[in-house]
Amino acid sequence: MKRRIGILTGGGDCPGLNAVIRGVVKSAIIRRGWEVVGIEDGFDGLLKTDRTRLLGLGDVRGILPRGGTILGTSNRGNPFCYPVENNGKTILTDISDQVVDSIRKMGIDALVAVGGDGSLKIALELMRKGVPIVGVPKTIDNDLMETDVTFGYNTALETATDALDKLHSTAESHHRVMIMEVMGRYAGWIALESGISGGADVILIPEIPFDIQSVCRAIDERCRRGNTFSIVVAAEGAYPRGGGRVVRREASEANPVERLGGIGEYVARELTSCLKMDTRSMVLGHLQRGGSPSTFDRCLGSRFGVGAVELIDKERYGEMVCLRGRDIRSVSIEKAVRRLKLVNPRGQMVYAAEELGIAVGRR
Amino acid sequence: MKRRIGILTGGGDCPGLNAVIRGVVKSAIIRRGWEVVGIEDGFDGLLKTDRTRLLGLGDVRGILPRGGTILGTSNRGNPFCYPVENNGKTILTDISDQVVDSIRKMGIDALVAVGGDGSLKIALELMRKGVPIVGVPKTIDNDLMETDVTFGYNTALETATDALDKLHSTAESHHRVMIMEVMGRYAGWIALESGISGGADVILIPEIPFDIQSVCRAIDERCRRGNTFSIVVAAEGAYPRGGGRVVRREASEANPVERLGGIGEYVARELTSCLKMDTRSMVLGHLQRGGSPSTFDRCLGSRFGVGAVELIDKERYGEMVCLRGRDIRSVSIEKAVRRLKLVNPRGQMVYAAEELGIAVGRR
Amino acid sequence: MKRRIGILTGGGDCPGLNAVIRGVVKSAIIRRGWEVVGIEDGFDGLLKTDRTRLLGLGDVRGILPRGGTILGTSNRGNPFCYPVENNGKTILTDISDQVVDSIRKMGIDALVAVGGDGSLKIALELMRKGVPIVGVPKTIDNDLMETDVTFGYNTALETATDALDKLHSTAESHHRVMIMEVMGRYAGWIALESGISGGADVILIPEIPFDIQSVCRAIDERCRRGNTFSIVVAAEGAYPRGGGRVVRREASEANPVERLGGIGEYVARELTSCLKMDTRSMVLGHLQRGGSPSTFDRCLGSRFGVGAVELIDKERYGEMVCLRGRDIRSVSIEKAVRRLKLVNPRGQMVYAAEELGIAVGRR
Amino acid sequence: MKRRIGILTGGGDCPGLNAVIRGVVKSAIIRRGWEVVGIEDGFDGLLKTDRTRLLGLGDVRGILPRGGTILGTSNRGNPFCYPVENNGKTILTDISDQVVDSIRKMGIDALVAVGGDGSLKIALELMRKGVPIVGVPKTIDNDLMETDVTFGYNTALETATDALDKLHSTAESHHRVMIMEVMGRYAGWIALESGISGGADVILIPEIPFDIQSVCRAIDERCRRGNTFSIVVAAEGAYPRGGGRVVRREASEANPVERLGGIGEYVARELTSCLKMDTRSMVLGHLQRGGSPSTFDRCLGSRFGVGAVELIDKERYGEMVCLRGRDIRSVSIEKAVRRLKLVNPRGQMVYAAEELGIAVGRR
């Protein structure tokens, strides 16, 4: 039977999305003769037919090494909570019936939803309304349960580790403390793993509220052992014990930390006042999402794309592909989005960091 | 108790070895106050005391981003089969008693052996003679059983995938078939995974003897679909169905393939004669072993180093660290070296490649 | 005659400094049999004998690919204006006599000063007090007269261009305007050249005060031609026509721009208010100084080092090495530090940018 | 006046060609409203109208970071010496009248020829037949006169230097001599400059026939100074003093060197026989042509493209753009192709290498 499947990418962009799209298109067309409809800008593109297009083999030629997503993505467009203009006011409205209808009209008989926590939850709701969906997990923070890792995470780690290598030269030459803020609002994986790989001396993650005195002490001890510089990696969601979470730009008078524009700057200021060292902070920011995907992410993304088509072929709707060891498996989306995968403060990765002499924000 | 442990790196060099050494030194010294003796050039260094030295924290400073091994390595030096000069002749001699004695004299009460198949087998033999040993698996080809992957493999894949990206420009601009030969004498993992990540059209691996007619056909079909170029990745150990294995440089009159100096050149010549396309081959060679380790390999190497010290601490001699999913575990060395981990011709990775439209050397 | 020369690196660190040091050491020792004294942390190290050490060939082994400077550097330590503690107060004092004396006591009969504008001016003053000095120009901003370029600049461009490549994926996938702030307080070379190489749509430099309306218009026109994203590169010293210069962190109530923490954020805010597009800004910051030097900077740095020794050999004190076309030449330091090399608003590089359709901040 | 110009890229591919094409298209269309015709596969594409197409702004979108040429290229297609089939035989025929005619029929009133020595000579001949042509120099070997450098060369150097960094790890860990063969049939620039940047110990170039005994001695001296490894870079056109040039694959019984398949392997074999060290050789080959162009090449290529359009605008036919210092200039093509730009054995670059202690193949 000639099938027509749709694919969309939702949430923040991530290296490897194009590998997934290419994997879906190739394995659907070459091996099965199906049709693939590309939906633009996440769930947003489901609302208008002019934002979908048939994807042929030519459309995915040469996209494997490219970052981002050729389909575009969006953090908006939740059809259960969609901003609709009404008499000059914007009201969040449930337009999911319309979306389900639109999917049917396009002749799409199964949908591949590539996205994180948020997008997969929307996918689940659409499933319940009768749309056959399979999922592909995407999270650059690596905070999704039920999969060892997802694509994009490894490339982000490469970018962060490379940045740490670069900061080392300056820190060492100028005898400075350099603080680098990386992504990770709730989960500290990027900070933890890039910190280990980049030879950091202190790592701050949301899962272990830090004690600034311990951080000072750790750096001070390094100085006394003759190390004239130190490197600190802080996840954006890291926060001082007893203090509130630091949210960039949304300042409040109540919390002096917030006014400073982020955890990196907060730590820099605190360290400057308690150590007699030059201190600099920087925010790695959007660089972490960009760039050509690493070989790991290209391979994983491609395999996820192939796996998603296989799930559709076997009509295992409501499942998403995942990685276990070296194998692609599948798991129910419902199970995967139940909660975030956080760093275990007593787990192996934190243990390894501490064995390597890295202070993970606590005594 | 103040302990003194030794560490050596054996076999071919590999990105991430320094991360292991640093991990061992840091976690032994900082956390336990032990002494670490570095042994130069693999098992060879066990024979002479002037080739060992105490490793301090200063010795491992700044080595994390560096390829190779600060201890040096060697493919020689099997103490059970050591080349000894005698009356002008070289006789392979069992000098293992001498080695065991030498280890004792150095006061080394446990040894970390970092190596592949060969080195770990030697370690096992020394164990049987009473030397307490723990292992750290090392294989750039990823052909060791009992661990998902080892360090070095990911960096080699990055190098190979980057090379494929580079060949694409030339192949496309000149409408050529480009053939790249990568490492993998027995296991085709590097060819297979870099081929998927680098967008290859044909992948040849030792586990699936190829049919040159199928390869020609695959490229010919691409041409007819309008693709004016093709990329072939061949593991050095790949060979034509019915033909013998191709061993570079050790030519024999019996096998015309061998005279050509490698599988890449053999395939190039065959394709030139059956297709009317410009064909070029290249050997990636030693580049695959070199370079700064990727973030994956730095993290894995560091964790392996930490894990090895923990194994010693728990006196679990005869075991080696390994990776399962995201966890460091341990397994008996004996089990790990029993046979090589080859690509399963019916396994997931080959399946994914074929779903992506890649010809894996067979119909 | 066996000579003893000194070398110091001053000012901000820069990729290629180690290549210069290595070049000086190798060509002084191997070819001439001289002695080389390394002085730590710029001119600061001239004040204390315990901060100098003889450099041998072993000290420069393996430093060519490493960023930063093995000698350390400092932005402080001007001997004509040195912070001296006196009765609890810090008074800026001329201690140059002491420094000249110290140089003599160390037996240094000629000094290689590697540094920018500031360091070379200090060198010039020391020259006038009788210290034989030759200069090696260093400026990551490329704002030094009398040399086509200096080392470090090319590596900074690579980092900035690579970052622009990364931002492209996100800008395109999310249909955003991305603004990247790069170094260049007075000279816009990095912004201009990385903007051309990284495919920017708007480039803002200090030499051409920008009109924010023109910038909005340029982006708006792109939108109307179907380009759903835009990339802006801004030198940190760029400023709006009629407005004051934007200095990060040193906020003043008088200038609302300054409160925002930098030109990137200022532009982001302005664009958000006049366009209906998602806008994000980031500061590339210290990453630009770090990392392994590019091949261009390694070669240039090495040749500069060799050239500096040759200048000493010929006793052409008061001169510095420079690059003209493909040749190393020399020029009087005095001439080189007279004024900064700024971008000519009517010059070739701005012309090229505009021909490529890039808005350089003006109508 | 609305003009229609053509552009073709000839000879071997080279990073930066797409930057030139994009520069030509952007500056012709955006600034002048001209039309640009893209001609496929070098001069070959001038023979058939179905191998030309109008290039719009959309065609050059996103091509700046991509290697190769979107127009394709060819080493064939000399219209003055074209292989024409006649009665089953291939006869080299002058079909230039046909080509001139074809250019007129396409309505192309000026042609941008991007190419090296060979392509520019063809362009010159076509000029003499009345075709208005401007040139853009292209040579990855950097052997073209009248321009400081061309695009592509810097990227090739980056690739070669990066490869040398990689070989260092293995050479050092295994105490080996590693020999890397790079491009450069007549000019040794790549070998010389990558050798300086990559920390080579011996550099062999065509301009200085080498003495194998000197090479052995240089490596031997390194050993005696305690360096247990050495790195040799050899241009493919380097050859032993008194011996013939080494041409890969075209073996002849008369010259035993040729049978070995290249200068790298020849040197490896010679060194193995005179030193007691492990020796390995590798050929960098096609990797040097590939990959995303470096920032230097992207900027230079873009400026060359802009400059070529300006030459047409000023009707300065018969000239080609070139780089002098930091400026784009122009020069007569005739002057540029008169002879190759070779390394001067007594020039600055060889001097610098020798001052750094590198043996450049001679006593």
Side-chain angles (χ1 to χ4, degrees), chain C residues 32 165 298 328 348 355, chain D residues 32 165 298 328 348 355:
Chain C
R32 291 172 178 82
D165 282 357
R298 292 191 200 182
I328 304 298
Q348 280 204 349
E355 287 284 304
Chain D
R32 293 172 176 84
D165 282 357
R298 292 190 200 183
I328 303 298
Q348 279 203 349
E355 287 285 302

Side-chain angles (χ1 to χ4, degrees), chain A residues 32 165 298 328 348 355, chain B residues 32 165 298 328 348 355:
Chain A
R32 292 172 178 83
D165 282 357
R298 292 190 198 182
I328 304 297
Q348 280 202 348
E355 286 285 302
Chain B
R32 291 173 179 82
D165 282 358
R298 292 190 200 182
I328 304 299
Q348 280 204 347
E355 286 285 302

Side-chain angles (χ1 to χ4, degrees), chain D residues 265-314:
Chain D
E265 228 172 294
Y266 168 74
V267 173
R269 193 161 295 202
E270 292 294 314
L271 293 186
T272 304
S273 80
C274 74
L275 301 165
K276 280 185 179 167
M277 292 178 73
D278 243 22
T279 304
R280 296 281 190 285
S281 75
M282 67 154 296
V283 181
L284 194 53
H286 288 93
L287 295 186
Q288 291 161 93
R289 292 198 172 281
S292 182
S294 70
T295 189
F296 187 96
D297 289 339
R298 292 190 200 183
C299 189
L300 183 57
S302 299
R303 293 175 74 193
F304 272 0
V306 166
V309 170
E310 206 185 349
L311 284 183
I312 290 179
D313 211 358
K314 294 181 173 164

Side-chain angles (χ1 to χ4, degrees), chain B residues 4-178:
Chain B
R4 167 180 285 207
I5 65 174
I7 176 167
L8 63 81
T9 54
D13 77 316
C14 188
L17 282 168
N18 284 329
V20 177
I21 297 167
R22 180 177 174 271
V24 165
V25 168
K26 287 211 158 191
S27 95
I29 294 180
I30 298 179
R31 310 291 288 192
R32 291 173 179 82
W34 296 357
E35 278 180 354
V36 182
V37 177
I39 297 149
E40 290 178 3
D41 301 337
F43 289 100
D44 223 27
L46 281 175
L47 295 169
K48 296 166 192 162
T49 46
D50 66 345
R51 288 170 70 194
T52 61
R53 52 190 154 116
L54 273 189
L55 293 175
L57 292 176
D59 294 302
V60 297
R61 199 169 288 153
I63 69 171
L64 191 53
R66 286 172 49 196
T69 159
I70 58 164
L71 292 176
T73 183
S74 171
N75 294 314
R76 284 182 291 263
N78 183 344
F80 296 92
C81 196
Y82 199 80
V84 174
E85 298 270 329
N86 197 316
N87 285 330
K89 276 188 277 181
T90 301
I91 298 163
L92 296 175
T93 315
D94 181 346
I95 55 163
S96 55
D97 286 337
Q98 197 180 323
V99 165
V100 171
D101 201 48
S102 160
I103 293 171
R104 279 198 194 118
K105 275 182 191 150
M106 292 181 215
I108 292 171
D109 56 10
L111 188 64
V112 180
V114 189
D117 197 43
S119 302
L120 292 175
K121 278 177 180 161
I122 295 171
L124 215 52
E125 292 300 314
L126 287 177
M127 267 289 293
R128 284 173 190 144
K129 296 204 123 186
V131 183
I133 294 186
V134 301
V136 174
K138 175 206 68 81
T139 152
I140 210 157
D141 289 349
N142 202 30
D143 57 2
L144 247 158
M145 291 296 287
E146 301 296 331
T147 185
D148 282 1
V149 285
T150 52
F151 58 91
Y153 174 63
N154 181 262
T155 306
L157 284 182
E158 284 293 346
T159 299
T161 302
D162 181 58
L164 288 174
D165 282 358
K166 290 190 168 156
L167 293 186
H168 260 94
S169 344
T170 297
E172 197 167 1
S173 300
H174 285 274
H175 318 303
R176 275 182 190 153
V177 179
M178 301 292 280

Side-chain angles (χ1 to χ4, degrees), chain B residues 294-356:
Chain B
S294 69
T295 191
F296 187 96
D297 288 339
R298 292 190 200 182
C299 189
L300 183 57
S302 299
R303 294 174 73 194
F304 272 179
V306 166
V309 170
E310 206 184 350
L311 283 183
I312 290 178
D313 212 359
K314 294 182 176 163
E315 307 200 338
R316 285 162 63 176
Y317 302 119
E319 298 196 9
M320 71 171 206
V321 289
C322 62
L323 180 74
R324 295 280 167 81
R326 297 265 291 165
D327 294 329
I328 304 299
R329 300 276 169 80
S330 71
V331 67
S332 91
I333 296 177
E334 196 164 7
K335 208 171 156 193
V337 299
R338 216 167 280 160
R339 58 192 173 85
L340 290 179
K341 181 175 68 182
L342 302 182
V343 173
N344 179 355
R346 278 177 204 80
Q348 280 204 347
M349 202 69 92
V350 171
Y351 170 79
E354 292 182 332
E355 286 285 302
L356 292 162

Side-chain angles (χ1 to χ4, degrees), chain A residues 25-45:
Chain A
V25 167
K26 287 212 158 190
S27 95
I29 294 180
I30 298 179
R31 308 292 288 196
R32 292 172 178 83
W34 297 355
E35 277 180 356
V36 182
V37 177
I39 296 150
E40 290 178 2
D41 300 337
F43 290 101
D44 224 28

Side-chain angles (χ1 to χ4, degrees), chain D residues 194 229 275 291:
Chain D
S194 74
F229 71 97
L275 301 165

